[in-house]
Amino acid sequence: MPKSNLLLGHPWRWYWLALVVVGLDVATKVWAVDEFMRGPAMQIIPGFLQFTYAENYGAAFSFLADAGGWQRWFFGVIALGFSIVVTIWLWRLPSLKRWEPCALALILGGALGNLWDRILLGYVRDFISVYYGSWHFPVFNVADMGISIGAAMLVIELLFFAEKDGDKTKNNAEV
């Protein structure tokens, strides 16, 4: 294997993508803390999108946010275990696959980005607020976007491409 492929070849390229998601997540959270923790929100699209600052002590949509503190370690252990499973899953995927490992890398990066906050701070920093009138979607961050986009990609893979991949494997086995 050429030296250039040792760090960029399969599956390392997907781990690099996960690391980029973690880096973007941490950098944007630091920026949001500096800009919005003590200051006013920034309207991006008035009446729809703003940057603000929120601390989430629970899981998605602040689930168990007021549980008393044990959830920090509970969700941390779950995120760490899930990250290990996804790391192994990525390692074992065939090098020809693109969609599934990309989805998994986005999910892994998001999970690690939020795990970083949860372990260091005890909560996750969120700053992207989508709303319309009195309706407000829970505030989220770049890690949450990575997890959501990656999960959507996996659902698309399962619904539309999994059978085709199975057919390829079956056809290759018959040859």
Side-chain angles (χ1 to χ4, degrees), residues 144-168:
D144 298 332
M145 291 188 325
I147 292 168
S148 297
I149 292 168
M153 289 174 69
L154 282 181
V155 168
I156 291 168
E157 166 86 11
L158 180 66
L159 291 176
F160 300 107
F161 302 111
E163 192 173 298
K164 291 178 184 175
D165 287 345
D167 290 344
K168 287 179 190 172

Side-chain angles (χ1 to χ4, degrees), residues 21 25 29 56 59-61 106-107 109-111 113-114 118 124-128 137-151:
V21 172
D25 180 61
K29 287 174 179 174
N56 181 356
F61 307 112
L106 292 172
I107 293 170
N114 282 340
R118 195 168 305 283
V124 174
R125 299 168 290 180
D126 293 325
F127 64 94
I128 303 168
F137 190 79
V139 181
F140 58 97
N141 58 43
V142 171
D144 298 332
M145 291 188 325
I147 292 168
S148 297
I149 292 168

Side-chain angles (χ1 to χ4, degrees), residues 18-73:
L19 189 61
V20 166
V21 172
V22 172
L24 285 172
D25 180 61
V26 170
T28 56
K29 287 174 179 174
V30 167
W31 170 77
V33 167
D34 288 345
E35 292 292 320
F36 309 117
M37 188 172 191
R38 291 176 185 73
M42 175 191 296
Q43 295 295 316
I44 306 301
I45 302 173
F48 183 71
L49 176 67
Q50 70 180 5
F51 291 156
T52 187
Y53 178 78
E55 295 173 354
N56 181 356
Y57 289 85
F61 307 112
S62 296
F63 176 68
L64 294 177
D66 57 354
W70 62 267
Q71 73 277 22
R72 170 188 188 179
W73 303 109

Side-chain angles (χ1 to χ4, degrees), residues 71-133:
Q71 73 277 22
R72 170 188 188 179
W73 303 109
F74 176 73
F75 293 131
V77 167
I78 288 174
L80 181 61
F82 180 78
S83 297
I84 291 168
V85 168
V86 171
T87 299
I88 293 168
W89 186 354
L90 273 170
W91 189 267
R92 293 182 174 180
L93 283 174
S95 62
L96 295 176
K97 285 195 165 245
R98 299 289 185 269
W99 189 265
E100 184 179 356
C102 181
L104 291 170
L106 292 172
I107 293 170
L108 178 61
L112 292 174
N114 282 340
L115 178 63
W116 176 270
D117 273 6
R118 195 168 305 283
I119 289 175
L120 290 180
L121 305 170
Y123 55 86
V124 174
R125 299 168 290 180
D126 293 325
F127 64 94
I128 303 168
S129 176
V130 176
Y131 62 97
Y132 182 75

